[in-house]
Amino acid sequence: MHENKLGSKIVKGLLIGISILFLFVMLILPLITVFSEAFKQGWEVYIKAITDEYTIKATILTLEATLIAVAVNTIFGVFAAWAITKFRFKGKKVLTTLIDLPVTVSPVIAGLIFILTFGRQSILYPLLQQVDISIVYAVPGVVLATVFVTFPFISRELIPVLEAQGTDEEEAAALMGANGFTIFRRITFPHIKWAFLYGVILCAARAMGEFGAVSVLSGHLRGKTNTLPLHVEILFNEFQYVPAFAVSSILVIMAIVILIIRSVVEYKGKKDI
């Protein structure tokens, strides 16, 4: 018995030690490096880097793309999750599979697909030109790429919760004469609100850090189509290491804020259970 307890303590300590070491090497150490390099030449250089005209424009574009992606994917995610879990229809498995497509397809490949779909060689290009819409190497392309890579996040958080909830309460409300919107607002949404918020947070975090698809579609037009990750890449390629790390710190701060919000949502969600 004593040997079993001793063995379990050793295993427990070993697992905790490996976990802490892994987190330190993969997370804490890179964060320390980012901020130490960002402030390497002092506050003045740091402030100058993060208030640079191109940095501000990249930050604004990143936030705009993130907000649009979250808004679009919220609508799509709620509708898709509700349809998949509450209704029977042909093609449900196909829809479920397609929702997971952005997770399985490389973002770079997704960017190339959009170039083939909306670029000069596309049959849609003349129509886009007629209505004066540019997608490839323009802001709409950046937004489209961001929406594509993030649209599974909200629906994938909602589907398991809605499946576990079942349809008994909605069916009872429908028999009592409640309409679809009332059923969703009064019965369905209270059960999924924390999963919904968690999905929104994950979607926003993924959108802010997207690089691959956006890189292909943006054309790297400084001050026009560059998001923060692309701006960091350009600075790094130009050997402007301190400004690159300074701009990277903005993304780190955004990630920390999102992490705090996620932790609060998780705590509130567990507290309500």
Side-chain angles (χ1 to χ4, degrees):
M1 188 70 176
H2 178 71
E3 291 180 356
N4 290 336
K5 287 184 177 181
L6 180 62
S8 64
K9 287 182 178 180
I10 293 174
V11 172
K12 179 182 177 181
L14 183 63
L15 292 175
I16 293 173
I18 292 173
S19 300
I20 292 174
L21 179 62
F22 182 83
L23 288 173
F24 179 79
V25 173
M26 300 299 294
L27 183 62
I28 305 300
L29 191 59
L31 290 178
I32 293 173
T33 302
V34 168
F35 284 103
S36 63
E37 290 294 326
F39 291 101
K40 192 174 185 179
Q41 296 180 4
W43 272 97
E44 291 183 1
V45 175
Y46 177 81
I47 297 298
K48 183 180 178 180
I50 64 173
T51 57
D52 177 74
E53 175 188 0
Y54 294 126
T55 302
I56 293 173
K57 288 182 178 180
T59 303
I60 292 172
L61 180 57
T62 300
L63 293 176
E64 287 178 350
T66 299
L67 289 173
I68 294 172
V70 170
V72 171
N73 291 325
T74 294
I75 296 171
F76 170 81
V78 172
F79 285 5
W82 201 10
I84 289 171
T85 57
K86 303 300 181 180
F87 300 97
R88 296 179 181 177
F89 57 92
K90 292 182 179 180
K92 181 187 290 191
K93 291 185 178 180
V94 175
L95 177 60
T96 305
T97 303
L98 290 176
I99 288 174
D100 291 330
L101 189 63
V103 179
T104 58
V105 174
S106 167
V108 175
I109 301 301
L112 292 174
I113 290 172
F114 283 125
I115 287 179
L116 293 175
T117 305
F118 301 107
R120 290 181 178 273
Q121 69 282 356
S122 169
I123 58 174
L124 297 176
Y125 185 76
L127 298 176
L128 294 173
Q129 288 295 101
Q130 288 179 8
V131 294
D132 195 26
I133 295 177
S134 298
I135 294 179
V136 177
Y137 306 146
V139 172
V142 173
V143 173
L144 183 63
T146 306
V147 170
F148 176 81
V149 300
T150 56
F151 81 73
F153 286 89
I154 295 177
S155 59
R156 275 299 162 200
E157 290 297 321
L158 295 179
I159 288 173
V161 179
L162 288 170
E163 286 179 341
Q165 178 190 353
T167 60
D168 293 342
E169 293 182 33
E170 284 92 346
E171 290 174 356
L175 290 173
M176 295 175 67
N179 59 40
F181 179 74
T182 301
I183 292 172
F184 177 79
R185 181 172 58 88
R186 300 289 297 273
I187 298 174
T188 306
F189 188 73
H191 289 288
I192 66 169
K193 61 181 180 180
W194 297 116
F196 170 76
L197 289 174
Y198 192 73
V200 168
I201 292 167
L202 290 178
C203 180
R206 180 68 179 86
M208 287 180 183
E210 171 52 28
F211 178 82
V214 170
S215 178
V216 174
L217 276 171
S218 70
H220 291 77
L221 303 178
R222 181 173 280 180
K224 294 182 179 180
T225 61
N226 273 350
T227 58
L228 280 175
L230 300 185
H231 187 48
V232 171
E233 182 199 26
I234 288 176
L235 291 173
F236 195 82
N237 289 338
E238 292 176 347
F239 304 103
Q240 299 184 54
Y241 297 126
V242 173
F245 279 104
V247 176
S248 297
S249 69
I250 299 175
L251 287 169
V252 172
I253 292 170
M254 288 180 176
I256 292 173
V257 170
I258 288 177
L259 182 63
I260 293 171
I261 295 173
R262 191 193 74 172
S263 299
V264 172
V265 169
E266 283 184 340
Y267 173 76
K268 293 280 188 180
K270 291 178 181 178
K271 194 175 180 181
D272 280 2
I273 295 176

